[in-house]
Amino acid sequence: MHPALQGLVTIVVGVGGCVGYFYLSNFLLDRFLLPARAYSAEESAARRRTGTIIVFLLPALLIAALYIAYFGLDGIFTSTGLFWLAIVLALIFGLWRLRDYVYGEGELTAGRNISHANMIRPWLFLLPAILALGLYLTYPVFETLRLSVTQRNFSTGSYDFVGLQNYAQMMDEPKFWEAMRNNMLWLIVVPALSTGFGLLVAQLTDRISWGNIAKMFIFMPMAISFVGASVIWKLVYDARPEGQGQIGILNALWVNLGGDPQNWLTLPFWNNFFLMAVLIWIQTGFAMVILSAALRGIPEETVEAAIVDGAGPFQIFFKIKVPQIVPTIVVVWTTITLVVLKVFDIVFAMTNGQWGTQVLANYMYSKLFTANDWGVGSASAMVIMLLVTPILVWNVRNARREMK
Amino acid sequence: MDNIAGTKSSLTWAVHLSVAFLVILWLFPTVGLFVSSFRTADQIATSGWWKAMFAAEQNLQLRTAGPDDQVQDGALYVIEGNVLEGSEAKGISAWGTSARDTQAYEPGETVELRDGSRMTLDGEGNYRLESDAPFEGRRGERVFATATVPPEFTLQNYRNMLFDPSNREGMTRAFFSTLTVTIPATIIPILIAAFAAYALAWMEFPGRALLIAAVVGLLVVPLQLALIPLLKFHNAIGIGKGYLGVWFAHTGFGLPLAIYLLRNYMVGLPRDIIENAKVDGATDFQIFTRIILPLSFPALASFAIFQFLWTWNDLLVAMVFLVDATGETTVMTKQIVELLGTRGGNWEILATAAFISMAVPIIVFFAMQRYLVRGLLAGSVK
């Protein structure tokens, strides 16, 4: 089938499936499971009997049959078999509780049915999202953790537990420490300069007539892919041998100032900064947009009071405005930090980690898909996770505080 | 700050100038690539793109007319003409007859050639070849000239990369591949997230706060962790590498931001509307489809743009979950990375490929900037 057609079918099936699921599940809940009407004791007993079969017995048998068909009777007592047995038993127990919850005993009022339906409904709305988040984001965290302490055995296809050996192996590699050092450099330089430039542009464009147009152009790199940006900047950094006309603007300027043409991307250590420039170029627009909104939110009175007291423009900016937007600066800083921790495309496209520019995400990619070493690759992924965790905890705590 | 009392006007000028400087600094790299994509390989290789707007000196290889055009002038055999005929170049500043020394002579100089003939070439390109014996052979004399060529732009690069079916490096297939990845990967998460966001915003149930916290936490989980486990999972359930897998993956990775953005927006909708509808007997499903969804359009648009830009520009997820060894389904970002490896110096190819992939996001960006900004302001975790 042609991919475009397949895409169209997927959209129709996906969208139709989602809408159908939401509509049908709500319809079943309101019409058959818990209609908004009262039942006498006999009626509810009859419903309980049929409900036991339809809601509990049939699905439970189906699940059990699937389990046996997949694992067989011998497979139950392996570690995966027992793990899935626990899940199957939990599911069956859940069905039993659901039956109890839906089909009450004795006389039932309409109000009882409605309130019970309203307790079930949120979970119908949430189910696809919970499944997707669980499978695509939560499960991989634990699976990666497991893979990072195992070694793939290519002859048997099994995964043998090796403890922290992968981590030890990783720590012995100079490339890993190079990646760590570079990541730390990125973590300091990129958020600082992006936020700094963003704040500068936000403040400068605040009061000039063509400020919005200026902001639009500085914001534009946000729409450009990291790969596209890499091509753009590779042309900037392009080097021709001495004597030939330079076609990279940086070398053209450099030669004009009297220097020799340089291969910027192979200059040890400094090439990291030339890669960082690409990300700074992209992220400044983001910082600018958020900080510009924050600057506009500063109460006018505080600025006016400072002017009356004779403060100069620089004092107003550093002593009145910046202290009031510190929380927003922190948000921008952490968001860019997250981007930096995952930076992959730029390094992959421009140097692929050569000439001392390795970073963690690219190191991990080369371990996973070039060296095919899942153990060490997963271990380095866990290092990235570890670096992200403080921000994760901080975000969750903030979100919880805000909700109260 | 021109409206603040006591501010010197010199400062205002400094502000204008520094903003102009920053804007130029930010635009320069993109403009460079953009201009390069309209130049020929020769032009790119011989002069910087910033010279493309102006006439530039170039080394040209030209040829005089052949012996068929010779006329007899007394005892001499003569060929006359203009080497620049049919070309845009004018104003020769130096010339030569050997590839080793292309700038040997001044315009107007008369030189003796190896076969004993004499040649004169002036600054306008008019030449005169004289010889005592008849000219032989079929082809004219080679001439190397340094001449001024006016600026010239071409669409040939785009024709080659987009409409040439024999070009194996063409971007057409990759373009449609990217499109095929992007559209379902944008629409499906919106739908799933909208329902979940409604439940998290307007329904009361135990565990709600915990779920919201979990979504905020998942917002920052690096997708790098998911690569191997999910690839294993996709292989286990038999979808392997392909569009289906990449759609699922993008859906999963996009959901936390979608739920977070949409929930934050929906929570801010007026409570009265929803409660009135409930009093009138509307079910949650009806409230959601008839009231919440239409009112949430700005938030839906914000997320749609994010997800669109992210999936269109993505490299990693496509490489892991989609592009297989045959390369049939390669996306544009992947193809550009490959071109960077194999065609590192061919800027006319790279620039054109990059601009083909950047065109759609930039159009979307300029058309829907308002929603993008709104989404950014709502989406950065406060």
Side-chain angles (χ1 to χ4, degrees), chain A residues 6-49:
Chain A
Q6 199 188 348
L8 207 66
V9 171
T10 309
I11 295 177
V12 172
V13 170
V15 172
C18 284
V19 173
Y21 160 78
F22 287 117
Y23 183 78
L24 276 181
S25 59
N26 277 283
F27 179 78
L28 285 176
L29 184 68
D30 289 329
R31 204 38 97 68
F32 293 106
L33 289 185
L34 288 161
R37 52 166 285 210
Y39 288 111
S40 66
E42 297 87 58
E43 275 177 314
S44 72
R47 273 169 54 79
R48 199 179 160 87
R49 272 195 300 280

Side-chain angles (χ1 to χ4, degrees), chain A residues 3 10-11 18 22-23 122 136 143-144 203 207 210 216 223 225 232 235 238 247 249 281 307 331 342 388, chain B residues 1 3-4 16 26 28-30 44 180 183 191 195 220 225 230 232 234 247-248 285 313 347 361 369 381:
Chain A
T10 309
I11 295 177
C18 284
F22 287 117
Y23 183 78
Y136 276 82
E143 176 69 3
T144 304
Q203 169 64 26
R207 302 282 171 99
W210 52 291
M216 190 170 74
S225 61
I232 288 175
L235 181 61
D238 188 275
I247 65 167
I249 187 105
W281 180 71
I307 293 171
V331 168
K342 303 178 209 169
V388 169
Chain B
M1 282 192 219
N3 57 352
I4 293 179
H16 278 281
W26 247 252
F28 229 54
T30 321
I44 298 175
T180 314
I183 293 174
L191 209 65
F195 279 96
V220 304
L225 268 79
L230 291 182
K232 274 175 63 186
H234 282 175
W247 289 326
F248 285 160
F285 191 79
N313 290 338
W347 283 107
Q369 204 186 7
V381 184

Side-chain angles (χ1 to χ4, degrees), chain B residues 74-128:
Chain B
L76 294 172
Y77 294 88
V78 176
I79 304 176
E80 277 186 320
N82 191 318
V83 278
L84 295 181
E85 215 170 54
S87 111
E88 303 254 324
K90 52 180 179 287
I92 291 172
S93 61
W95 61 285
T97 52
S98 146
R100 262 167 293 163
D101 192 359
T102 58
Q103 303 189 345
Y105 316 118
E106 299 274 307
E109 225 175 307
T110 303
V111 298
E112 190 147 326
L113 304 179
R114 262 171 307 167
D115 57 1
S117 59
R118 292 169 299 281
M119 177 167 184
T120 315
L121 180 70
D122 73 3
E124 305 296 308
N126 298 313
Y127 62 88
R128 180 181 165 91

Side-chain angles (χ1 to χ4, degrees), chain A residues 202-365:
Chain A
Q203 169 64 26
L204 290 182
T205 54
D206 200 23
R207 302 282 171 99
I208 61 178
S209 50
W210 52 291
N212 278 337
I213 299 170
K215 280 201 278 194
M216 190 170 74
F217 285 126
I218 290 179
F219 191 32
M220 190 194 66
M222 278 290 284
I224 295 175
S225 61
F226 285 180
V227 174
S230 301
V231 177
I232 288 175
W233 282 85
K234 262 203 144 169
L235 181 61
V236 172
Y237 297 146
D238 188 275
R240 299 271 145 157
E242 212 174 335
Q244 282 184 31
Q246 296 297 327
I247 65 167
I249 187 105
L250 191 59
N251 265 319
L253 286 175
W254 182 249
V255 169
N256 242 348
L257 294 175
D260 292 332
Q262 301 283 340
N263 264 318
W264 304 106
L265 290 178
T266 57
L267 278 184
F269 188 67
W270 298 108
N271 51 7
N272 283 304
F273 294 93
F274 292 111
L275 294 184
M276 289 176 209
V278 183
L279 194 57
I280 295 169
W281 180 71
I282 294 176
Q283 292 293 328
T284 295
F286 163 75
M288 175 201 73
V289 165
I290 309 254
L291 293 171
S292 166
L295 281 177
R296 296 231 161 123
I298 292 177
E300 275 298 315
E301 304 88 69
T302 58
V303 178
E304 276 162 19
I307 293 171
V308 170
D309 288 349
F314 290 98
Q315 276 179 312
I316 292 174
F317 180 66
F318 285 108
K319 297 204 172 143
I320 308 291
K321 288 187 168 178
V322 171
Q324 293 194 65
I325 58 167
V326 164
T328 318
I329 293 178
V330 172
V331 168
V332 170
W333 193 292
T334 47
T335 312
I336 298 176
T337 302
L338 286 172
V339 177
V340 170
L341 277 171
K342 303 178 209 169
V343 66
F344 163 76
D345 310 29
I346 294 175
V347 177
F348 183 75
M350 289 184 86
T351 63
N352 199 8
Q354 287 167 288
W355 307 298
T357 56
Q358 190 65 291
V359 291
L360 275 177
N362 194 53
Y363 173 81
M364 188 211 77
Y365 183 86

